[in-house]
Amino acid sequence: MTDETMTDDKRLAGQGSFFGRRKGKALRPHQADLFETLLPRLRVDPSRPCDLAGLFPRPLDGYVLEIGFGGGEHLVREATAHPHLGFVGVEPFINGMAKMLAEIERQAIDNVRLHTEDAGVLLPWFPNTSLDLVYLLYPDPWPKTRHHKRRFVSDETVAQFARILKPGAEFRFASDIDHYSAWTLERLLRSPHFTFSARSASDWTTPWPNWQSTRYEAKALREGRKPCYLTFRRNDP
């Protein structure tokens, strides 16, 4: 089997899967300073045992993971709207992380912690049934067939989601690429641990309640692509 025809079962849980660029335009001086001063206080270290409660300065009622938060618009909105929850945001793109750090400083947000590397490395770090919600919003679709193995959603990551989500918790996925939405639906439907929540077409074309749109979604709409919102519920054991 060649590398270009690698199937899902060849992706190892915890194996790195970030293939995009790490940095765009140069950071402004204050943004660079936040990487030196603020980020070390917020960074999640998966080499240490996971203690979600210990990550945050006050008791919280639950925990949410957002994978690939981009510019941070959605993560900021959710964290400020739900101060009783702790959020772990993942974003390897340096400029996106810089925007998130600036918003955390500006709004004095205390319920967000950050991971700057690949989420595939972070998933095994979470304890069993420790998360209330996982978001994967507008991930890179890797449209070429030979690159499909780079897509974040795989049988292995679905298994990790099943392990770390509490019974009744949700995995939420959004994309403007029909083929990637179908790819994700296929992998979640063949998992015995999840139930697809949709009952009609409007369920996957309507955003979640209090949805905070992102700049990526705005671009998709301008270019005539329709977003798809998929929700999967973690089944009871």
Side-chain angles (χ1 to χ4, degrees), residues 106-127:
R106 186 178 72 84
Q107 300 191 46
I109 300 171
D110 72 346
N111 59 330
V112 173
R113 293 298 179 264
L114 302 169
H115 181 62
T116 60
E117 304 297 330
D118 178 18
V121 177
L122 191 64
L123 291 182
W125 176 76
F126 289 102

Side-chain angles (χ1 to χ4, degrees), residues 66-69 74 135-140 172-175 208 211-212 214 216:
E66 182 169 337
I67 299 169
F69 58 74
H74 178 264
Y135 284 104
L136 179 61
L137 307 177
Y138 295 96
D140 195 319
R172 295 182 180 180
F173 174 92
S175 178
W208 300 288
W211 167 247
Q212 174 65 51
T214 70
Y216 299 106

Side-chain angles (χ1 to χ4, degrees), residues 73-166:
E73 305 98 322
H74 178 264
L75 181 54
V76 168
R77 168 67 176 79
E78 288 297 294
T80 54
H82 304 285
H84 61 290
L85 298 176
F87 292 79
V88 177
V90 180
E91 182 53 63
F93 186 46
I94 291 174
N95 297 81
M97 183 61 69
K99 291 179 180 179
M100 188 69 218
L101 290 170
E103 282 302 304
I104 289 174
E105 179 189 52
R106 186 178 72 84
Q107 300 191 46
I109 300 171
D110 72 346
N111 59 330
V112 173
R113 293 298 179 264
L114 302 169
H115 181 62
T116 60
E117 304 297 330
D118 178 18
V121 177
L122 191 64
L123 291 182
W125 176 76
F126 289 102
N128 295 348
T129 63
S130 59
L131 298 182
D132 297 82
L133 184 61
V134 172
Y135 284 104
L136 179 61
L137 307 177
Y138 295 96
D140 195 319
W142 294 106
K144 295 181 180 179
T145 301
R146 68 176 184 272
H147 291 156
H148 284 179
K149 62 183 179 292
R150 298 183 176 185
R151 289 176 169 176
F152 192 81
V153 177
S154 70
D155 291 331
E156 283 67 38
T157 54
V158 170
Q160 286 285 1
F161 294 152
R163 183 186 64 80
I164 63 181
L165 283 167
K166 299 175 182 177

Side-chain angles (χ1 to χ4, degrees), residues 173-187:
F173 174 92
S175 178
D176 59 314
I177 305 300
D178 291 343
H179 188 266
Y180 197 5
S181 296
W183 166 286
T184 298
L185 183 61
E186 179 183 2
R187 279 147 185 79

Side-chain angles (χ1 to χ4, degrees), residues 21-39:
R21 60 180 183 157
R22 295 299 304 273
K23 187 176 180 181
K25 59 185 179 181
L27 299 180
R28 296 189 293 272
H30 184 59
Q31 289 178 320
D33 182 65
L34 290 176
F35 271 83
E36 299 296 326
T37 57
L38 181 57
L39 181 58

